[in-house]
Amino acid sequence: MGKLFQQSMDNLPGVLVMCSSVKFSFIALLMITMINPCICNQMDPHVYPNRGPFFEGWYLRIIDPGENLSLGFLFGLVLPIEQHSQQYQKHCHKLVNQLEIKRCLNEVLQMQKHAYDSNLKAHNSSFPLVYTSLLLSFNSTTKLDTPTGFFNPDDCSVTKDGRPVTKNPDDLTPPNFEAVISQNLSFAVTENKTMFSVTVGNHIFKGFTFAPVPWGPGGEGPESWLEKMPLPIHWFVYSLHSTVRYYEYVNLESGKIIRGGSKPGAPVIAHMEKNWGKSFPKAWVWAEGVDIAANVAFSFSSGVITELGMDIDAQLSGYRNGKKNISCSFNPVNSVHTLVQDGCSGTAVLTVKCLDCAVTFDLSAPPDTLSYCLATPQVVGFKKGCVESYVATARVTVHQRRGVSMVLTDSHTINQAALEFGEKYMCNGSCPPEVYVYW
C-alpha cells in the first residue's frame, strides 16, 4: 500500500493536471455565483445583511491533557430566509456631535433587537434563532454531554469596540468584540486574550485564555483568499492552540467543581473558530486536534456544499508541526482530496494532496462517545444536525516533495481529538434517539 501511494505521488504531471483541473472548475463556479461584494474573514462579528438567510457562530474548546478532560461551548444566531432585517449600517461615524453619535448608535442597536424579535415571532419559535450548547467530556469512555439552551433574539447583543456592529471584519484589524446572551453567556475577544462565561441550566463554565496561535499570517484562515468569495458557508480558525490561563466548571446540582489552567510543564490549551454564511451544508466531517508537547496541531472540514443546485465535494484542512517546521494547508483550489467516512463506526479518513505536500488524517472515536444531536444553523433557524466526540484518536502521516519524489516526513498520533459527523454523514443519515432537556 505504501509503495502504491509513493508511486502515485511521484507522478508529478498527474498531480499538476488534477490540481489545475480543480482550480479551473472551482473558480468558474465562483465567478458564476459572485453577485455580491466580497467580504473578508476575521473573528470579529459581521454586519447582518438586509435579507436572510444568514448565520454567524463561534466555538471554543479547552483541552487539559493532565486531567484527561475537554470542555467546550458553541453559540450562534440565525437570520432566517425571506426575513428582512432593518438597515443597520447607519453612518454614525460621519456625525460630528458626540450626543448625535450616541443617539444614532443606540437607534441602530434598538433596530437590531426589533428585527431579531420580529423574525422569532414570524417563525412562532419553531426553529430557534439563538442557540448555545456546552460540550463536556470528563473521561475517555462516556458520551459527550451537551447541555443546550435556546434564547430569544432580544436577549442577544453583539458589539464591536463597545458599539453596535457597523462594519464587516477585515484581515488587518485585531479583534475586539463581545457577545452576550441574557445572563447565560459572555464571550469577549481582544487581540491578546479571550474571556468567557457560559451558564446552561445547572452547568457553569468560564475561563481566560492568552493570545491566539493563528492559522496563518495576516489574518489568513483555512480558506485563504476564498474567504472573500460569497460562498454558502465560511470557516475561520482563529486559534490552533491558545494557552489557557484559567478555567472553571461547576455543576450546581451535583456540587462538582473542576478548576484548572496552564502550569510549567503541564499546558492547557484552547482551540477557537468561527463560522458564518447561509447555512451549514448537507453533509460534513469536521475534526481538530493538538499535541501541545510536540507542537503539533491540525484541523479540517470536508463535505458536500450546494450552490446553484449543484453539489460540490470540498475540503479545507491544515497540519502544523513546529518542531519539524512543517506547515501544510489545503483548499479546493490548490489540492485534490478523498474522504472515506462512517458515522456508525465513528471513523473518517481524509487524504489531501497538492504539488508539494500530501497528508492523510485517519480518525476514529468510540461510537458510544458521540453526543446526541447538536443544533446546527439552517436557513429557517437552528435544527438538530450533527454529533461529536472529544476523545477521538487521530493518526496523521505527511509526505513532502524532495526533488521529484514525495517522501514521508512526519507521522504522528494525537489523542483527545474532536471529531464531528454532520447531517447525511451521521449514522444512517439521522440523529440518534435521545432524551433531551432544553434550558
Side-chain angles (χ1 to χ4, degrees), residues 39 94 135:
I39 57 176
K94 293 183 179 180
L135 301 99

Side-chain angles (χ1 to χ4, degrees), residues 21 44 67 102 113 118 165 183-184 194 222 351 385 413:
S21 174
D44 271 338
E67 297 297 327
K102 183 176 181 180
K113 290 183 176 181
S118 298
V165 181
Q183 302 297 314
N184 296 82
T194 295
T351 299
T413 298

Side-chain angles (χ1 to χ4, degrees), residues 309-326:
M310 294 184 291
D311 288 343
I312 305 169
D313 292 327
Q315 65 78 35
L316 297 165
S317 58
Y319 178 80
R320 309 286 187 264
N321 186 325
K323 291 185 177 180
K324 294 187 176 182
N325 197 29
I326 296 175

Side-chain angles (χ1 to χ4, degrees), residues 376-435:
T376 63
Q378 303 297 329
V379 296
V380 294
F382 283 98
K383 299 170 62 177
K384 297 176 184 179
C386 69
V387 295
E388 189 167 337
S389 172
Y390 274 180
V391 295
T393 299
R395 298 172 179 85
V396 185
T397 55
V398 181
H399 289 73
Q400 292 179 286
R401 184 161 299 283
R402 298 292 184 263
V404 297
S405 299
M406 297 292 284
V407 300
L408 179 68
T409 56
D410 198 13
S411 179
H412 205 86
T413 298
I414 301 172
N415 298 313
Q416 286 186 288
L419 176 61
E420 179 179 281
F421 298 91
E423 293 292 344
K424 291 185 178 180
Y425 287 168
M426 292 188 293
C427 184
N428 299 319
S430 62
C431 290
E434 61 182 286
V435 177

